[in-house]
Amino acid sequence: MTTKDDEKTFKGLKNFNLFMGCLHLVQSLLILYLSNGYSLPIKSFYVKFFVETQSLETVMEDMVSVPLGPLIALFLLISAVCHFYLSTIGFEWYVKNLKRHINYLRWYEYALSSSIMIVVIAMLTGIYDIAALIPIFMINGTMNLFGLMMELYNQDREKVSWTAYIFGCIAGSAPWIVIAMYLAGAGGDGGGVPDFVYYIFVSLFTFFMSFAVNMALQYKGVGRWKDYYYGEKMYIVLSLVSKSLLAWQVFFGTLRGI
């Protein structure tokens, strides 16, 4: 049974999603319009036999150069589309699922948009190998799907099962370990990645982990998180802040038009 308080909460979430959709869309269009043509390479490495030396050697091949501006705009646009859907034609479906303490679209959107984000961060640290970028994308997506499984498994349960949560944390740590290894090895011979990449690593790692904290607070029923809808609102806020941080740190680091 839906109470008047619930109806007020759902109406507030509807307007909040619409507002957040507008913020994501405006930022996406601004990044796309203001960015220069800065791009990063995607490379392929394979083993080739050289007759001259009678040896197998690793060969590098440039596959494609990816413009960074449109890639940044893309994950913002994905979020905007999902927020607009939930606040319009998908609102009844959204409310029905929220009453069951689950938001399918949240996890599907995160699986796509945050995986693009982690690939951008990886490329900024010098990870260009397609054979590394694909697993980074897929593992991060899997982490978010474990979040969906967490909500699926714990519907109508008195005792919370943390299995999916733990597996999700394990999966989610893998891309950050790889990125940290590249950052730790940067700077040889006086070179290295720009300072803003380190800022991106620290700030985005913090916000990525805050999603896991938000879920833990929800299921432990700590303070205001006893209300599932409060946790839902926090997911929306964290999503906006993390995407905006990455977008504008990259913009001011590399994408400002000259």
Side-chain angles (χ1 to χ4, degrees), residues 93-153:
W93 176 74
Y94 179 45
V95 169
K96 181 180 72 174
N97 289 323
L98 286 181
K99 290 178 180 178
R100 297 164 52 213
H101 290 185
I102 189 169
N103 181 353
Y104 290 92
L105 191 59
R106 179 209 303 141
W107 300 112
Y108 294 144
E109 186 253 299
Y110 288 176
L112 185 57
S113 63
S114 73
S115 297
I116 295 173
M117 292 170 68
I118 201 74
V119 165
V120 168
I121 297 169
M123 294 178 71
L124 286 169
T125 63
I127 303 174
Y128 303 137
D129 187 355
I130 187 67
L133 293 174
I134 290 175
I136 285 173
F137 182 96
M138 297 297 291
I139 293 170
N140 187 83
T142 299
M143 172 194 69
N144 287 287
L145 296 180
F146 273 122
L148 174 59
M149 297 307 297
M150 178 71 176
E151 293 195 331
L152 279 171
Y153 283 156

Side-chain angles (χ1 to χ4, degrees), residues 64-244:
V64 65
S65 186
V66 180
L68 205 52
L71 200 58
I72 298 293
L74 178 59
F75 65 70
L76 288 165
L77 181 60
I78 291 170
S79 291
V81 170
C82 290
H83 283 304
F84 287 141
Y85 176 78
L86 292 179
S87 60
T88 54
I89 59 176
F91 181 66
E92 290 186 6
W93 176 74
Y94 179 45
V95 169
K96 181 180 72 174
N97 289 323
L98 286 181
K99 290 178 180 178
R100 297 164 52 213
H101 290 185
I102 189 169
N103 181 353
Y104 290 92
L105 191 59
R106 179 209 303 141
W107 300 112
Y108 294 144
E109 186 253 299
Y110 288 176
L112 185 57
S113 63
S114 73
S115 297
I116 295 173
M117 292 170 68
I118 201 74
V119 165
V120 168
I121 297 169
M123 294 178 71
L124 286 169
T125 63
I127 303 174
Y128 303 137
D129 187 355
I130 187 67
L133 293 174
I134 290 175
I136 285 173
F137 182 96
M138 297 297 291
I139 293 170
N140 187 83
T142 299
M143 172 194 69
N144 287 287
L145 296 180
F146 273 122
L148 174 59
M149 297 307 297
M150 178 71 176
E151 293 195 331
L152 279 171
Y153 283 156
N154 287 290
Q155 292 183 31
D156 304 319
R157 289 178 61 105
E158 292 185 7
K159 184 178 180 181
V160 175
S161 170
W162 292 94
T163 304
Y165 181 88
I166 294 169
F167 288 169
C169 290
I170 293 171
S173 66
W176 291 101
I177 291 172
V178 174
I179 292 169
M181 289 172 64
Y182 267 73
L183 281 177
D189 298 325
V193 299
D195 288 343
F196 81 91
V197 177
Y198 291 97
Y199 301 146
I200 286 174
F201 176 83
V202 173
S203 60
L204 268 295
F205 176 79
T206 301
F207 273 96
F208 267 56
M209 295 306 105
S210 68
F211 286 85
V213 172
N214 188 59
M215 173 172 273
L217 292 172
Q218 256 188 334
Y219 280 95
K220 285 184 176 294
V222 177
R224 297 182 68 179
W225 278 268
K226 289 180 181 179
D227 181 359
Y228 177 84
Y229 307 133
Y230 179 78
E232 168 68 9
K233 192 170 184 178
M234 288 305 300
Y235 276 124
I236 296 172
V237 171
L238 290 172
S239 177
L240 173 72
V241 175
S242 61
K243 290 179 175 67
S244 301

